[in-house]
Amino acid sequence: MIVDEMKPTLKQWILAFRPWSFPASTMPALTALTFVFFQYHTGAVSGVNWMNGWLALPGVLACHAGGNLISDYYDYRYGVDRKESFGSSRLLIEGVFRPVTILWYGYLFLLAGALTGIYLMLHSGVHLLWIGVAGITGSVFYYRLKYRALGDLLIFLIYGLLIALGTAYVMTSQLNVPVLLLSMPTGFLVVNILHANNTRDILHDRQAHIRTQAMLLGLKASKVQYALLALGSYVAVVLPVIFRAVHPLCLSVLVTLPLAFKNIRQMRTAQIEHPERIRDLDGKSAQLVLAFGLLLIISNVLAAWI
């Protein structure tokens, strides 16, 4: 049934920017915020602007939402998202919105994110300019890079590095490199959300004449990459703990290993001709990001008082 495209409901306006994907951006931001909290209580940093840290969160979410909407517009326009394919909010495919509405909706969110970034830059420092420009540019042109097998790299740079670096910077006016020790592991898992999606969609993406990293690697190597990124995220937490760069409480993320192994086992069942076998793996990968990130956040807060 085609819904009247001129009268979408409030729920459909919300679903259009795919809020279920937000753990990918909120976890790196909150991990950075709580890591600065830990550093403040251990004397590693001083003069922290806490309001800037919390204000960075809606700015990050606005850019994420805008990127989702713009990506959906171009995936629909270039035939990547079709009735028989998976992914996206499917609201364009079902005729709920006109494509141009989704595009401008996305730019509106990016504008909100950019204005938030300008305010934070004026109250922190000029380094936020290049961090913000890189993030917004990546949101606008993500679809181009994804179609050229560079989407995984871009997602890691933004969600594994820039969000955490920028959040810590607006709080301290310093490029806080140590915060990357906890944002990179989460970044590996965020990349797996996209990688699961692209592995599932190899057949449909091939028909759309685009080239993702999963297509470039092939099915067998894509399964290996998924496992390496999933397990590598835990190694990337254990090593800083061993070298006393982060608090041992961060090892609490190890309790999510069964969930990671479950996801890896599901990825091993993937077949190009049967994408339904990993239809929901991107969502399950996002759930792992949420659980992993929450444990890091809680660990940082508790460690500050020990």
Side-chain angles (χ1 to χ4, degrees), residues 3-4 24-25 50 58 88 124 159 182 196 273 296 301:
V3 181
D4 184 351
S25 55
W50 301 108
S88 81
S124 57
Y159 294 89
L182 289 182
E273 300 296 333
L296 284 181
V301 173

Side-chain angles (χ1 to χ4, degrees), residues 162-291:
L162 293 184
I163 288 177
L165 192 64
T167 302
Y169 181 76
V170 301
M171 298 174 70
T172 64
S173 296
Q174 300 174 8
L175 292 175
N176 191 332
V177 176
V179 78
L180 300 180
L181 293 174
L182 289 182
S183 68
M184 285 193 293
T186 306
F188 292 156
L189 296 178
V190 172
V191 171
N192 263 354
I193 301 175
L194 172 66
H195 189 61
N197 182 297
N198 288 343
T199 302
R200 177 196 66 202
D201 293 342
I202 286 177
L203 180 61
H204 293 144
D205 288 345
R206 184 180 296 156
Q207 294 169 349
H209 305 292
I210 68 170
R211 192 181 189 189
T212 64
Q213 183 167 316
M215 295 170 65
L216 186 66
L217 291 173
L219 183 60
K220 184 176 180 180
S222 290
K223 294 177 181 180
V224 172
Q225 175 178 304
Y226 186 92
L228 288 177
L229 287 175
L231 299 179
S233 64
Y234 296 92
V235 175
V237 172
V238 171
L239 289 179
V241 169
I242 291 175
F243 290 101
R244 300 183 180 180
V246 300
H247 197 276
L249 279 177
C250 292
L251 293 177
S252 62
V253 298
L254 294 175
V255 304
T256 65
L257 263 172
L259 180 57
F261 281 120
K262 183 178 179 181
N263 289 349
I264 291 170
R265 285 194 297 270
Q266 184 173 356
M267 175 59 106
R268 291 177 61 186
T269 69
Q271 292 185 15
I272 293 177
E273 300 296 333
H274 296 281
E276 69 279 358
R277 292 188 176 184
I278 57 170
R279 177 173 186 163
D280 59 349
L281 185 55
D282 54 347
K284 291 180 179 178
S285 299
Q287 291 172 6
L288 178 57
V289 170
L290 179 61

Side-chain angles (χ1 to χ4, degrees), residues 24-140:
S25 55
T26 55
M27 291 301 101
L30 289 173
T31 297
L33 193 154
T34 55
F35 186 69
V36 171
F37 179 76
F38 167 70
Q39 289 181 311
Y40 176 77
H41 281 272
T42 56
V45 298
S46 59
V48 176
N49 189 323
W50 301 108
M51 186 182 75
N52 279 1
W54 287 110
L55 187 57
L57 187 59
V60 166
L61 285 174
C63 290
H64 188 175
N68 283 347
L69 290 160
I70 294 170
S71 177
D72 278 358
Y73 166 80
Y74 283 106
D75 281 353
Y76 178 79
R77 175 182 172 183
Y78 290 116
V80 177
D81 287 341
R82 303 184 301 279
K83 287 185 178 180
E84 65 273 18
S85 63
F86 304 101
S88 81
S89 66
R90 302 193 65 81
L91 295 174
L92 281 175
I93 297 170
E94 295 170 2
V96 178
F97 292 96
R98 290 178 296 175
V100 69
T101 302
I102 288 294
L103 182 63
W104 285 109
Y105 191 26
Y107 282 131
L108 181 63
F109 272 106
L110 284 187
L111 176 61
L115 292 175
T116 303
I118 291 172
Y119 172 85
L120 290 171
M121 182 184 70
L122 295 175
H123 290 81
S124 57
V126 72
H127 281 299
L128 191 64
L129 178 61
W130 64 263
I131 295 174
V133 167
I136 290 177
T137 302
S139 296
V140 173

